[in-house]
Amino acid sequence: MLEMTRGEFEELVAEALDRIPPELTRLMDNVAVFVEDEPPADDPELLGLYEGTPLTERGEWYAGVLPDRITIYRGPTLRMCESREDIVAEAEITVVHEIAHHFGIDDARLHALGYG
């Protein structure tokens, strides 16, 4: 397994977020991004997780709720990658994948777009 500190990994995630086009980030609403070392024990290979209400499902009732949460998991990403370049690429793919869920894009469409 490759080694990378949590701080270094958080920086890669921040850089991936910075590469999201501004016209998309302006549309993101009430969402926070976190880095955690490991996913839940029942899904040890999980790279990222979106928890919340996608923008496409929000209505008049959507007010005063906690922010949606995007979590990127460091451990499984490091275990699956063979180089630092792989980690950078996988972190970016995972960030885009989870942000897409925030926009209401499902896994089937993401797989078709190459963000599986």
Side-chain angles (χ1 to χ4, degrees), residues 28-33 50-51 58 62 67-70 102:
M28 292 173 65
D29 181 50
N30 201 30
V31 62
V33 179
Y50 169 75
E51 299 170 284
R58 295 179 185 179
Y62 189 86
D68 292 3
R69 181 180 177 102
I70 292 173
H102 176 68

Side-chain angles (χ1 to χ4, degrees), residues 4-15 35 37 74 84:
M4 178 178 284
T5 68
R6 182 164 176 161
E8 290 172 311
F9 190 78
E10 287 173 348
E11 183 62 31
L12 290 180
V13 170
E15 290 169 3
V35 169
D37 289 328
R74 182 175 71 96
R84 180 175 174 80

Side-chain angles (χ1 to χ4, degrees), residues 4 8-9 14 16 23 26 28 32-34 37 65 68 73 80-81 83 88 98 102 109 114-115:
M4 178 178 284
E8 290 172 311
F9 190 78
E23 51 274 7
R26 279 194 295 272
M28 292 173 65
V33 179
F34 300 90
D37 289 328
V65 299
D68 292 3
Y73 298 106
M80 74 174 287
C81 294
S83 69
V88 170
E98 301 311 326
H102 176 68
R109 180 70 178 132
Y115 291 98

Side-chain angles (χ1 to χ4, degrees), residues 9-107:
F9 190 78
E10 287 173 348
E11 183 62 31
L12 290 180
V13 170
E15 290 169 3
L17 286 166
D18 288 345
R19 286 190 289 277
I20 303 294
E23 51 274 7
L24 289 180
T25 57
R26 279 194 295 272
L27 298 173
M28 292 173 65
D29 181 50
N30 201 30
V31 62
V33 179
F34 300 90
V35 169
E36 304 236 348
D37 289 328
E38 294 296 334
D42 64 338
D43 199 355
E45 302 300 312
L46 188 66
L47 302 178
L49 180 65
Y50 169 75
E51 299 170 284
T53 304
L55 294 174
T56 55
E57 296 178 16
R58 295 179 185 179
E60 299 122 26
W61 59 269
Y62 189 86
V65 299
L66 292 173
D68 292 3
R69 181 180 177 102
I70 292 173
T71 307
I72 309 299
Y73 298 106
R74 182 175 71 96
T77 304
L78 296 182
R79 287 190 291 275
M80 74 174 287
C81 294
E82 296 181 8
S83 69
R84 180 175 174 80
E85 293 77 23
D86 290 346
I87 296 169
V88 170
E90 193 57 53
E92 185 165 333
I93 289 168
T94 304
V95 166
V96 169
H97 183 108
E98 301 311 326
I99 288 173
H101 287 316
H102 176 68
F103 282 102
I105 301 171
D106 66 15
D107 280 333

